[in-house]
Amino acid sequence: RREQARLKASVVEEDTEEWQKDPDFSGLQRVGGVDLSYVKGDESRACASLVVLSFPALEVLYQDCRMVAVTAPYVAGFLAFREVPVLVEAVQRLQQEEPQLQPQVLLVDGNGLLHPRGFGTACHLGVLTDLPCIGVAKNLLHVDGLVRDELHREQVRSLQRSGETFPLIGTSGKVLGMVLRSCNNSSKPLYVSVGHRVSLGTAVRLVRACCRFRIPEPIRQADIRSREYLRK
């Protein structure tokens, strides 16, 4: 908790890059996605995957998949301590080997500020790499009074078209993230939250711009490739 609080002090919740301020994201050329897929029946071995896609074409420019040993135990609310170190290593490898392909923003399969102590995986990875980061979760984390009750389900049903959203407001009154319908073909929403060096509005716009299917392409490609690597 002390370490989370110490690192949380460095989180920047605003846009820091010129491309973020442009409605069409002009100047944004590379978007990264990360994923960890575990070996079935073995929680200590996983494939860590980092991909970089071109933007706006969303074609894979770089991929790094490799087996890693995951040593920290799983503790709810502290997942980042288990997964972020190997993802930081993947980013550092890319910076050393192909610096020209460094992503200008990272999409993370998980939460950012939408977290019991306001410091999820996307914040953790963002602060340690100093890259803009966005949390994109498939399920709602029950924090600050947020629950998947009938009211929440009704709000989700009200999202009729791709790009429609509603804010996640906790009992504290703080906006913790946005619920986004990312494509017309799926009524299941995404839960988008700020990780680091990006505003919530920009995060939602970018996630939507990266979606061909429900899951944004950088995360989808990282997931596909890590699973494929494990199969092989």
Side-chain angles (χ1 to χ4, degrees):
R1 282 171 187 263
R2 270 202 308 273
E3 180 68 354
Q4 277 182 336
R6 184 182 74 78
L7 293 169
K8 186 183 188 305
S10 303
V11 170
V12 176
E13 298 180 37
E14 289 94 44
D15 293 330
T16 59
E17 308 302 296
E18 280 308 309
W19 61 262
Q20 293 166 329
K21 303 175 176 96
D22 187 282
D24 301 316
F25 296 123
S26 63
L28 176 61
Q29 296 172 324
R30 296 173 308 282
V31 182
V34 291
D35 181 69
L36 229 65
S37 292
Y38 288 88
V39 172
K40 236 186 183 149
D42 185 354
E43 286 297 290
S44 67
R45 290 174 68 232
C47 174
S49 166
L50 164 67
V51 297
V52 181
L53 275 60
S54 63
F55 187 88
L58 302 177
E59 284 160 0
V60 177
L61 303 172
Y62 172 93
Q63 70 167 31
D64 177 2
C65 295
R66 59 185 68 198
M67 294 306 295
V68 293
V70 182
T71 50
Y74 170 71
V75 182
F78 298 94
L79 178 68
F81 289 97
R82 186 172 158 78
E83 299 195 339
V84 165
V86 295
L87 299 175
V88 170
E89 283 173 14
V91 171
Q92 287 170 340
R93 267 196 307 276
L94 164 58
Q95 287 167 334
Q96 284 161 4
E97 294 165 14
E98 304 266 8
Q100 75 284 4
L101 292 178
Q102 167 159 299
Q104 292 160 279
V105 58
L106 277 175
L107 270 53
V108 180
D109 181 5
N111 294 296
L113 297 179
L114 181 58
H115 177 270
R117 285 168 301 285
F119 194 74
T121 304
C123 297
H124 207 125
L125 185 61
V127 169
L128 292 185
T129 59
D130 199 31
L131 289 171
C133 263
I134 298 170
V136 185
K138 297 186 277 292
N139 300 299
L140 176 65
L141 195 61
H142 294 192
V143 295
D144 195 9
L146 295 173
V147 281
R148 270 193 67 216
D149 54 8
E150 192 43 48
L151 171 65
H152 180 79
R153 285 193 281 268
E154 205 172 290
Q155 286 178 297
V156 168
R157 283 194 291 272
S158 75
L159 303 176
Q160 294 295 309
R161 284 193 304 278
S162 157
E164 291 186 355
T165 60
F166 65 86
L168 286 166
I169 303 170
T171 11
S172 62
K174 191 169 166 32
V175 176
L176 300 172
M178 283 292 231
V179 183
L180 165 70
R181 179 158 181 169
S182 56
C183 76
N184 287 326
N185 298 341
S186 174
S187 57
K188 287 183 179 172
L190 295 174
Y191 298 90
V192 179
S193 57
V194 168
H196 184 49
R197 292 178 55 185
V198 64
S199 67
L200 184 56
T202 299
V204 170
R205 281 196 307 125
L206 182 62
V207 169
R208 191 187 169 209
C210 288
C211 285
R212 287 179 176 157
F213 306 97
R214 179 193 172 207
I215 306 298
E217 209 58 17
I219 292 175
R220 200 176 82 90
Q221 289 298 333
D223 176 61
I224 287 171
R225 284 152 204 267
S226 61
R227 287 172 195 277
E228 181 62 25
Y229 191 90
L230 283 184
R231 268 200 300 275
K232 285 179 178 166

